[in-house]
């Protein structure tokens, strides 16, 4: 499928716009490359593995595992973590884990998606995670 055909299929919306639309609905969407047989994240126009423009949209279960985590100690405010999350569908994203102290986030922790609502109407929602239990 050409980029023009893909744009027509997606209503002319950018991959990022489609991704944000899914987040607004409480879903974590990602792209999948049939040619590479791999998940693709962050959304893009061309497959990073094959260069093809035939990426399809899929919706994640929202479950994953903490791959890596660091605690950030800001000058003001509470410490927070920055974590790499391996989603069960085979892609990794940078996020954070909420609902427990930053120092308690551990490698191997099972997590599930929570979409963080934007602070203002001009901001976009973004994915964060909470413990899966």
């Amino acid at each position: 499928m050409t980029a023009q055909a893909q744009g027509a299929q997606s209503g002319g919306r950018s991959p990022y716009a489609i991704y944000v639309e899914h987040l607004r609905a409480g879903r974590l969407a990602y792209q999948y490359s049939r040619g590479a047989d791999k998940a693709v994240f962050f959304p893009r126009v061309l497959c990073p593995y094959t260069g093809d423009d035939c990426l399809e949209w899929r919706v994640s279960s929202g479950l994953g595992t903490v791959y890596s985590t660091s605690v950030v100690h800001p000058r003001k405010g509470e410490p927070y973590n920055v974590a790499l999350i391996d989603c069960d569908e085979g892609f990794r994203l940078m996020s954070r884990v909420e609902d427990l102290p930053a120092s308690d986030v551990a490698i191997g922790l099972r997590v599930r998606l929570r979409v963080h609502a934007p602070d203002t109407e001009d901001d976009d929602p973004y994915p964060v995670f909470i413990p899966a239990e």
Side-chain angles (χ1 to χ4, degrees), residues 48-59:
Y49 307 109
T50 66
D52 294 337
D53 61 357
C54 54
L55 296 169
E56 64 185 52
W57 284 98
R58 294 188 178 180
V59 175

Side-chain angles (χ1 to χ4, degrees), residues 53-98:
D53 61 357
C54 54
L55 296 169
E56 64 185 52
W57 284 98
R58 294 188 178 180
V59 175
S60 169
S61 67
L63 295 172
T65 303
V66 174
Y67 173 81
S68 174
T69 183
S70 295
V71 177
V72 177
H73 296 272
R75 264 186 172 204
K76 296 180 181 179
E78 295 295 314
Y80 62 93
N81 70 80
V82 175
L84 291 177
I85 309 296
D86 280 343
C87 290
D88 289 356
E89 292 79 13
F91 63 94
R92 181 177 291 161
L93 70 147
M94 185 179 292
S95 185
R96 70 173 183 252
V97 179
E98 298 182 332

Side-chain angles (χ1 to χ4, degrees), residues 99-114:
D99 287 359
L100 73 162
S103 59
D104 290 352
V105 177
I107 293 170
L109 177 69
R110 289 290 291 165
V111 293
R112 68 181 166 86
L113 174 71
R114 172 192 284 168

